[in-house]
Amino acid sequence: MNRLLVMLFLMLPFSVQASLELSFSEVAPGVFMHQGKLADLFTVDSDPVANITFIVGDEAVAVIDTGGSKRAGNAVLRAIRQQTDLPIGFVINTHVHPDHHFGNIAFVDEKPEFVAHARYPGDFDAKSGYYLQRLTNPWFTGTTPIGATRVINETTELDLGNRTLVLTPHERAHTRHDLSVLDQNSGTLITGDLLFIDHLPTLDGNLMGWLAETEKLEAMPFRQVIPGHGPLQKSKQAFEKQTRYLSSLAQAVRAAINDNIDINTASTTVMPSPGDWKLYEAFHPRNVIQAYKELEWE
């Protein structure tokens, strides 16, 4: 029997056998960031694919997004414990997409508040089961979605002990329940998927709303930005490339609608060139369809 168990273990992918270790960079005093892979969670060889942040105050820690699996969440928790033994007061979910919050399960025993946008619970209930069914690779074993225990519908401050985080619930943009976090001490803005760098932006909410919310983000007093995907940004022009893509998408889809091009044809013919965006083929046709359904009723 022992020999059989060893053989079965050796047949597992290495990523499942080995304990996952994640590297975090201290991008400002007390602000730690892990940059996820530029990949699709449903086809990647190992999670996480989204950026993950934790912030250490004098009295507590806040985690902003936890990865897409229990395994990733456990790795985040281990990384935090390498830095501090302070209690984890808050797990902040920027939105409901599984690559950002399916690691929550690893933090349940820490007894934090799981914080999200007021519209998050409805989408969590509607979508989490579907997402979970699609995560069939073995590194998602044990992953169970954990929802919010506290929701906010207005700008809210969280105190970590001599460190204040300002949470802003946004109108419909990337999704209909996006939440951003500004660390006042360091001027670090954590946007979730309200900002993509290198990875093509993905539209699951409202295109024109996203452009409007971007203007609000740009007006915030940040000194650096941690996007939902891609590297840390130090420039006030961090949103410019994404804005060009979203604005061009709106213009091109409106033209297709005015030319009576049907939605399916538009999805394969509107803005076919990826430029230097990653995962263009995977997500751009979906963006066209989502934008078309929104803009055809203008």
Side-chain angles (χ1 to χ4, degrees), residues 12-55:
L12 290 171
F14 178 78
S15 60
V16 178
Q17 295 177 32
S19 177
L20 179 65
E21 300 299 328
L22 297 180
S23 61
F24 280 79
S25 300
E26 190 169 12
V27 298
V31 180
F32 298 84
M33 171 193 172
H34 171 78
Q35 184 177 330
K37 300 179 180 180
L38 292 180
D40 182 352
L41 181 67
F42 298 112
T43 59
V44 73
D45 59 354
S46 181
D47 181 52
V49 300
N51 293 342
I52 299 168
T53 306
F54 68 88
I55 301 175

Side-chain angles (χ1 to χ4, degrees), residues 217-256:
L217 288 163
E218 289 178 312
M220 289 183 178
F222 65 83
R223 292 194 287 274
Q224 61 181 4
V225 184
I226 297 177
H229 298 265
L232 179 76
Q233 299 295 295
K234 294 281 192 178
S235 170
K236 294 295 284 188
Q237 286 72 49
F239 295 87
E240 283 190 358
K241 180 182 176 184
Q242 176 175 277
T243 296
R244 286 196 299 272
Y245 169 76
L246 296 176
S247 298
S248 297
L249 178 63
Q251 182 179 4
V253 169
R254 285 192 180 108

Side-chain angles (χ1 to χ4, degrees), residues 57-78:
D58 287 349
E59 298 174 2
V61 178
V63 187
I64 301 95
D65 291 338
T66 56
S69 65
K70 180 181 180 181
R71 182 169 176 263
N74 284 334
V76 176
L77 182 55
R78 284 194 296 273

Side-chain angles (χ1 to χ4, degrees), residues 98-124:
D99 52 328
H100 291 263
H101 77 108
F102 267 18
N104 284 4
I105 181 66
F107 292 88
V108 170
D109 290 344
E110 302 293 318
K111 297 181 172 58
E113 289 189 90
F114 291 93
V115 185
H117 193 294
R119 287 193 291 267
Y120 173 100
D123 286 349
F124 177 89

Side-chain angles (χ1 to χ4, degrees), residues 129-144:
Y130 165 72
Y131 293 142
L132 193 61
Q133 288 178 355
R134 294 185 62 192
L135 299 177
T136 57
N137 288 318
W139 48 86
F140 296 108
T141 299
T143 300
T144 301

